[in-house]
Protein backbone atom coordinates (compact mmCIF):
# COMPACT_ATOMS: atom_id res chain seq x y z
CA UNK A 1 0.00 0.00 0.00
CA UNK A 2 2.69 2.51 1.01
CA UNK A 3 4.95 1.47 -1.85
CA UNK A 4 2.21 2.18 -4.38
CA UNK A 5 1.44 5.53 -2.74
CA UNK A 6 5.14 6.44 -2.78
CA UNK A 7 5.66 5.51 -6.41
CA UNK A 8 2.64 7.60 -7.37
CA UNK A 9 4.02 10.55 -5.41
CA UNK A 10 7.46 10.27 -7.03
CA UNK A 11 5.85 10.19 -10.46
CA UNK A 12 3.67 13.16 -9.52
CA UNK A 13 6.07 15.30 -7.46
CA UNK A 14 4.59 18.04 -5.32
CA UNK A 15 5.99 21.56 -5.47
CA UNK A 16 6.81 21.30 -1.74
CA UNK A 17 9.29 18.54 -2.55
CA UNK A 18 11.33 20.71 -4.91
CA UNK A 19 13.80 22.22 -2.36
CA UNK A 20 14.61 18.87 -0.79
CA UNK A 21 15.06 17.12 -4.13
CA UNK A 22 17.20 19.96 -5.45
CA UNK A 23 19.51 19.64 -2.42
CA UNK A 24 20.44 16.10 -3.47
CA UNK A 25 20.15 14.77 0.07
CA UNK A 26 17.33 12.44 -0.98
CA UNK A 27 15.95 11.25 -4.30
CA UNK A 28 12.57 12.42 -3.03
CA UNK A 29 11.58 14.07 0.23
CA UNK A 30 8.34 15.80 1.21
CA UNK A 31 7.23 17.07 4.60
CA UNK A 32 3.59 17.21 5.72
CA UNK A 33 2.68 14.74 3.01
CA UNK A 34 -0.45 13.75 4.93
CA UNK A 35 -1.96 17.12 4.00
CA UNK A 36 -1.66 16.58 0.23
CA UNK A 37 -1.85 12.81 -0.33
CA UNK A 38 -4.95 10.89 0.79
CA UNK A 39 -3.12 7.54 0.86
CA UNK A 40 -0.63 8.65 3.51
CA UNK A 41 -3.30 10.44 5.51
CA UNK A 42 -5.45 7.30 5.57
CA UNK A 43 -2.48 5.19 6.64
CA UNK A 44 -1.90 7.48 9.61
CA UNK A 45 -5.60 7.64 10.46
CA UNK A 46 -6.35 3.92 10.28
CA UNK A 47 -3.17 1.81 10.57
CA UNK A 48 -1.86 0.37 13.89
CA UNK A 49 0.86 3.04 13.87
CA UNK A 50 -0.87 5.40 16.31
CA UNK A 51 -1.78 2.57 18.68
CA UNK A 52 1.86 1.49 18.81
CA UNK A 53 2.91 5.06 19.62
CA UNK A 54 0.28 5.39 22.34
CA UNK A 55 1.27 2.14 24.03
CA UNK A 56 4.99 2.86 23.92
CA UNK A 57 4.45 6.44 25.02
CA UNK A 58 2.01 5.39 27.74
CA UNK A 59 -0.43 8.09 26.73
CA UNK A 60 -4.18 8.24 26.19
CA UNK A 61 -3.92 10.32 23.04
CA UNK A 62 -1.64 10.70 20.04
CA UNK A 63 -1.66 13.65 17.70
CA UNK A 64 0.44 14.06 14.57
CA UNK A 65 2.92 16.91 14.74
CA UNK A 66 4.64 16.30 11.41
CA UNK A 67 5.35 13.57 8.89
CA UNK A 68 7.93 13.12 6.16
CA UNK A 69 8.26 10.88 3.10
CA UNK A 70 11.91 10.03 2.41
CA UNK A 71 13.30 8.06 -0.54
CA UNK A 72 16.98 7.06 -0.75
CA UNK A 73 19.29 9.16 1.45
CA UNK A 74 22.10 9.40 -1.11
CA UNK A 75 24.83 10.55 1.24
CA UNK A 76 23.29 9.05 4.33
CA UNK A 77 22.73 11.23 7.36
CA UNK A 78 25.59 11.30 9.86
CA UNK A 79 25.23 11.47 13.64
CA UNK A 80 22.43 13.90 14.38
CA UNK A 81 19.50 14.89 16.53
CA UNK A 82 16.04 15.45 15.09
CA UNK A 83 14.96 19.04 15.68
CA UNK A 84 12.22 19.55 13.08
CA UNK A 85 9.65 17.75 15.21
CA UNK A 86 6.94 20.36 14.87
CA UNK A 87 5.89 23.03 17.40
CA UNK A 88 6.33 20.79 20.44
CA UNK A 89 8.82 20.11 23.21
CA UNK A 90 11.19 17.13 23.09
CA UNK A 91 9.52 15.55 26.12
CA UNK A 92 6.15 15.45 24.36
CA UNK A 93 7.44 13.97 21.11
CA UNK A 94 7.72 10.38 19.89
CA UNK A 95 9.69 9.94 16.70
CA UNK A 96 8.56 7.13 14.37
CA UNK A 97 9.74 5.52 11.16
CA UNK A 98 7.96 2.94 8.96
CA UNK A 99 10.07 1.35 6.25
CA UNK A 100 8.76 -0.07 2.99
CA UNK A 101 11.93 -2.00 2.10
CA UNK A 102 14.30 -4.50 3.67
CA UNK A 103 17.58 -2.97 4.83
CA UNK A 104 20.41 -3.65 2.33
CA UNK A 105 23.13 -5.97 3.57
CA UNK A 106 26.00 -3.46 3.61
CA UNK A 107 24.43 -0.05 4.31
CA UNK A 108 21.23 1.79 5.15
CA UNK A 109 20.79 0.52 8.71
CA UNK A 110 19.72 3.07 11.35
CA UNK A 111 22.20 3.24 14.23
CA UNK A 112 21.44 4.81 17.63
CA UNK A 113 23.64 5.76 20.57
CA UNK A 114 22.04 3.82 23.41
CA UNK A 115 20.94 6.12 26.21
CA UNK A 116 21.94 9.29 24.36
CA UNK A 117 18.48 10.80 24.87
CA UNK A 118 19.66 11.51 28.42
CA UNK A 119 22.55 13.71 27.27
CA UNK A 120 22.91 17.25 28.63
CA UNK A 121 25.41 18.71 26.16
CA UNK A 122 23.55 18.80 22.83
CA UNK A 123 21.57 21.99 22.36
CA UNK A 124 17.93 21.68 21.41
CA UNK A 125 18.47 23.47 18.09
CA UNK A 126 21.37 21.24 17.01
CA UNK A 127 21.24 18.82 14.07
CA UNK A 128 24.67 17.30 13.38
CA UNK A 129 26.69 16.37 16.45
CA UNK A 130 30.18 15.16 17.32
CA UNK A 131 29.80 11.97 19.35
CA UNK A 132 33.32 12.48 20.73
CA UNK A 133 32.39 15.75 22.43
CA UNK A 134 30.43 16.75 25.52
CA UNK A 135 28.79 13.99 27.50
CA UNK A 136 28.04 11.94 24.36
CA UNK A 137 31.25 10.06 25.16
CA UNK A 138 29.31 8.58 28.07
CA UNK A 139 27.11 6.70 25.60
CA UNK A 140 29.52 4.53 23.62
CA UNK A 141 27.16 1.64 22.82
CA UNK A 142 25.80 1.72 19.29
CA UNK A 143 22.55 -0.08 18.50
CA UNK A 144 22.09 -1.05 14.85
CA UNK A 145 18.67 -2.00 13.57
CA UNK A 146 18.08 -3.78 10.28
CA UNK A 147 14.33 -3.35 9.73
CA UNK A 148 12.45 -5.27 7.09
CA UNK A 149 9.61 -3.98 4.95
CA UNK A 150 6.66 -3.10 7.19
CA UNK A 151 8.73 -2.70 10.37
CA UNK A 152 8.37 0.37 12.58
CA UNK A 153 10.98 2.05 14.79
CA UNK A 154 10.08 4.45 17.61
CA UNK A 155 12.64 6.54 19.47
CA UNK A 156 13.01 9.43 21.90
CA UNK A 157 13.29 12.69 19.96
CA UNK A 158 16.63 13.51 21.66
CA UNK A 159 18.27 10.22 20.69
CA UNK A 160 21.45 10.64 18.65
CA UNK A 161 21.42 8.47 15.53
CA UNK A 162 22.68 8.11 11.97
CA UNK A 163 22.14 6.21 8.75
CA UNK A 164 24.88 5.48 6.22
CA UNK A 165 24.09 5.49 2.52
CA UNK A 166 25.98 3.55 -0.17
CA UNK A 167 29.56 4.65 -0.79
CA UNK A 168 28.70 5.29 -4.44
CA UNK A 169 25.82 7.61 -3.42
CA UNK A 170 23.69 5.55 -5.81
CA UNK A 171 21.15 3.07 -4.44
CA UNK A 172 20.94 1.35 -7.84
CA UNK A 173 18.13 -1.21 -7.88
CA UNK A 174 17.83 -1.00 -4.09
CA UNK A 175 15.45 1.44 -2.46
CA UNK A 176 15.01 2.88 1.01
CA UNK A 177 11.48 4.29 1.14
CA UNK A 178 10.40 5.49 4.56
CA UNK A 179 7.45 7.32 6.03
CA UNK A 180 8.47 8.98 9.28
CA UNK A 181 7.26 11.67 11.61
CA UNK A 182 6.46 12.79 15.12
CA UNK A 183 3.60 11.68 17.33
CA UNK A 184 2.61 13.90 20.25
CA UNK A 185 1.45 12.79 23.69
CA UNK A 186 -1.74 13.93 25.40
CA UNK A 187 -1.42 17.32 27.07
CA UNK A 188 1.38 18.56 24.83
CA UNK A 189 1.50 22.31 24.40
CA UNK A 190 2.19 24.37 21.31
CA UNK A 191 5.72 25.80 21.29
CA UNK A 192 6.19 27.34 17.88
CA UNK A 193 6.56 31.08 18.36
CA UNK A 194 9.90 32.46 17.18
CA UNK A 195 10.75 29.12 15.58
CA UNK A 196 11.13 28.51 11.84
CA UNK A 197 9.34 25.17 11.53
CA UNK A 198 8.62 23.64 8.14
CA UNK A 199 5.70 21.73 9.64
CA UNK A 200 4.04 24.84 11.08
CA UNK A 201 3.05 26.79 7.98
CA UNK A 202 -0.74 26.61 8.11
CA UNK A 203 -3.17 29.22 9.39
CA UNK A 204 -4.04 28.88 13.09
CA UNK A 205 -4.36 30.96 16.26
CA UNK A 206 -2.33 28.90 18.74
CA UNK A 207 0.20 30.64 20.98
CA UNK A 208 3.01 29.21 23.08
CA UNK A 209 1.58 27.31 26.03
CA UNK A 210 -1.78 26.51 24.40
CA UNK A 211 -2.74 22.84 24.33
CA UNK A 212 -1.83 21.46 20.91
CA UNK A 213 -5.14 20.80 19.18
CA UNK A 214 -6.99 21.33 15.95
CA UNK A 215 -6.99 19.76 12.49
CA UNK A 216 -3.47 21.00 11.70
CA UNK A 217 -2.23 18.50 14.30
CA UNK A 218 -4.86 15.77 13.95
CA UNK A 219 -5.70 13.26 16.63
CA UNK A 220 -4.83 9.74 15.53
CA UNK A 221 -5.41 7.80 18.75
CA UNK A 222 -7.73 6.56 20.18
CA UNK A 223 -9.41 7.52 16.90
CA UNK A 224 -9.35 10.22 14.29
CA UNK A 225 -11.82 13.08 14.71
CA UNK A 226 -14.31 13.35 11.80
CA UNK A 227 -14.37 17.15 11.88
CA UNK A 228 -10.56 17.28 11.72
CA UNK A 229 -10.55 14.84 8.82
CA UNK A 230 -13.09 16.99 7.00
CA UNK A 231 -11.01 20.10 7.62
CA UNK A 232 -8.06 18.38 5.97
CA UNK A 233 -10.25 17.37 3.01
CA UNK A 234 -11.31 21.00 2.70
CA UNK A 235 -7.68 22.10 2.45
CA UNK A 236 -7.61 23.81 5.85
CA UNK A 237 -4.43 22.03 6.97
CA UNK A 238 -2.25 22.97 4.00
CA UNK A 239 0.44 25.60 3.96
CA UNK A 240 -0.87 29.11 3.50
CA UNK A 241 0.71 32.47 2.68
CA UNK A 242 -0.01 33.55 6.25
CA UNK A 243 1.80 30.50 7.57
CA UNK A 244 4.70 30.96 5.15
CA UNK A 245 5.14 34.58 6.19
CA UNK A 246 5.00 33.60 9.86
CA UNK A 247 7.66 30.97 9.35
CA UNK A 248 9.79 33.35 7.30
CA UNK A 249 9.49 36.03 9.96
CA UNK A 250 10.66 33.56 12.57
CA UNK A 251 13.89 32.72 10.76
CA UNK A 252 15.94 35.42 12.46
CA UNK A 253 14.64 34.52 15.92
CA UNK A 254 15.28 30.85 15.12
CA UNK A 255 18.78 31.41 13.79
CA UNK A 256 20.16 28.40 15.68
CA UNK A 257 17.82 25.91 14.04
CA UNK A 258 18.19 27.48 10.61
CA UNK A 259 22.00 27.52 10.92
CA UNK A 260 21.91 23.84 11.79
CA UNK A 261 19.99 23.07 8.61
CA UNK A 262 22.34 25.23 6.57
CA UNK A 263 25.16 23.07 7.92
CA UNK A 264 23.25 19.97 6.80
CA UNK A 265 23.20 21.25 3.23
CA UNK A 266 26.84 22.37 3.37
CA UNK A 267 28.01 19.01 4.71
CA UNK A 268 26.04 17.19 2.03
CA UNK A 269 27.52 19.38 -0.72
CA UNK A 270 31.03 18.85 0.64
CA UNK A 271 30.62 15.08 0.59
CA UNK A 272 29.35 15.16 -2.98
CA UNK A 273 32.22 17.38 -4.15
CA UNK A 274 34.83 15.24 -2.40
CA UNK A 275 33.53 12.01 -3.87
CA UNK A 276 32.34 13.17 -7.28
CA UNK A 277 33.42 10.70 -10.03
CA UNK A 278 35.42 11.86 -13.02
CA UNK A 279 32.44 11.47 -15.34
CA UNK A 280 29.31 13.51 -14.72
CA UNK A 281 26.44 11.71 -13.04
CA UNK A 282 23.66 11.28 -15.59
CA UNK A 283 20.93 10.86 -13.01
CA UNK A 284 18.35 13.61 -13.03
CA UNK A 285 16.40 14.92 -10.04
CA UNK A 286 12.64 14.64 -9.94
CA UNK A 287 11.23 17.85 -11.40
CA UNK A 288 7.87 19.48 -10.79
CA UNK A 289 5.69 19.07 -13.87
Amino acid sequence: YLRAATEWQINNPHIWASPGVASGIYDYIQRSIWTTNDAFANFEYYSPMATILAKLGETEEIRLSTDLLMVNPNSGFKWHQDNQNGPVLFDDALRWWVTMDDTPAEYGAPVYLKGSHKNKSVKSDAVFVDIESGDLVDYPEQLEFRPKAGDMIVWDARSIHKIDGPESKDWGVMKRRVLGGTGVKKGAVYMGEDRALFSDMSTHELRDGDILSGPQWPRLYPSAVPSEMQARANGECSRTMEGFLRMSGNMLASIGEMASWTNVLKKNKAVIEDEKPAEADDRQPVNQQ
Side-chain angles (χ1 to χ4, degrees):
Y1 175 85
L2 288 178
R3 286 172 176 171
T6 299
E7 291 308 302
W8 184 92
Q9 190 64 71
I10 292 172
N11 292 327
N12 298 272
H14 197 281
I15 187 64
W16 293 355
S18 300
V21 172
S23 73
I25 297 177
Y26 288 86
D27 283 349
Y28 190 89
I29 182 169
Q30 183 180 334
R31 186 172 292 280
S32 301
I33 198 165
W34 73 277
T35 65
T36 65
N37 187 307
D38 289 345
F40 293 105
N42 287 332
F43 174 81
E44 292 167 18
Y45 287 144
Y46 300 119
S47 78
M49 181 198 81
T51 300
I52 294 170
L53 289 173
K55 298 306 179 183
L56 290 177
E58 299 181 332
T59 180
E60 298 176 357
E61 180 181 278
I62 288 289
R63 285 187 173 271
L64 180 70
S65 178
T66 184
D67 71 353
L68 185 65
L69 176 65
M70 300 164 281
V71 179
N72 293 355
N74 292 311
S75 297
F77 222 75
K78 303 307 179 185
W79 292 111
H80 68 281
Q81 168 186 258
D82 298 320
N83 76 348
Q84 282 285 332
N85 299 313
V88 295
L89 299 172
F90 277 114
D91 289 345
D92 293 326
L94 292 167
R95 293 289 294 168
W96 57 270
W97 201 79
V98 177
T99 180
M100 306 172 214
D101 304 283
D102 293 350
T103 304
E106 298 179 355
Y107 53 86
V111 183
Y112 296 78
L113 286 187
K114 183 177 181 180
S116 60
H117 61 288
K118 300 176 183 178
N119 84 82
K120 305 297 183 183
S121 62
V122 179
K123 295 181 179 179
S124 61
D125 60 3
V127 180
F128 283 119
V129 302
D130 178 2
I131 64 172
E132 300 298 327
S133 66
D135 62 354
L136 292 183
V137 296
D138 298 332
Y139 308 99
E141 185 176 354
Q142 299 183 13
L143 300 178
E144 179 183 273
F145 295 90
R146 308 199 68 82
K148 295 184 177 296
D151 284 349
M152 178 176 178
I153 301 175
V154 180
W155 66 95
D156 187 289
R158 283 186 57 81
S159 293
I160 305 303
H161 55 291
K162 71 167 183 172
I163 181 169
D164 294 323
E167 291 186 5
S168 66
K169 314 303 175 190
D170 184 352
W171 286 71
V173 298
M174 302 296 295
K175 290 185 178 180
R176 213 290 313 264
R177 296 165 289 190
V178 166
L179 180 65
T182 304
V184 183
K185 301 177 184 178
K186 183 178 180 179
V189 297
Y190 176 87
M191 292 298 291
E193 293 183 43
D194 297 328
R195 298 179 66 195
L197 299 171
F198 304 126
S199 58
D200 187 11
M201 295 171 63
S202 61
T203 296
H204 63 82
E205 298 181 354
L206 292 185
R207 307 285 292 182
D208 281 358
D210 292 344
I211 295 295
L212 192 76
S213 61
Q216 295 88 352
W217 300 281
R219 192 181 77 180
L220 303 179
Y221 180 89
S223 62
V225 179
S227 62
E228 293 181 349
M229 298 171 70
Q230 187 59 52
R232 176 205 168 272
N234 295 341
E236 298 173 22
C237 302
S238 297
R239 295 176 178 178
T240 63
M241 181 55 67
E242 177 185 335
F244 174 77
L245 292 175
R246 184 182 64 247
M247 190 275 291
S248 300
N250 287 342
M251 283 187 173
L252 183 60
S254 188
I255 191 67
E257 286 175 304
M258 296 312 298
S260 291
W261 275 102
T262 300
N263 287 337
V264 171
L265 298 178
K266 287 181 177 178
K267 284 177 180 288
N268 179 70
K269 182 178 180 180
V271 170
I272 292 174
E273 292 297 327
D274 289 345
E275 303 184 17
K276 186 180 295 183
E279 297 182 1
D281 192 338
D282 61 358
R283 291 179 298 163
Q284 297 295 320
V286 177
N287 293 318
Q288 175 70 20
Q289 301 298 319

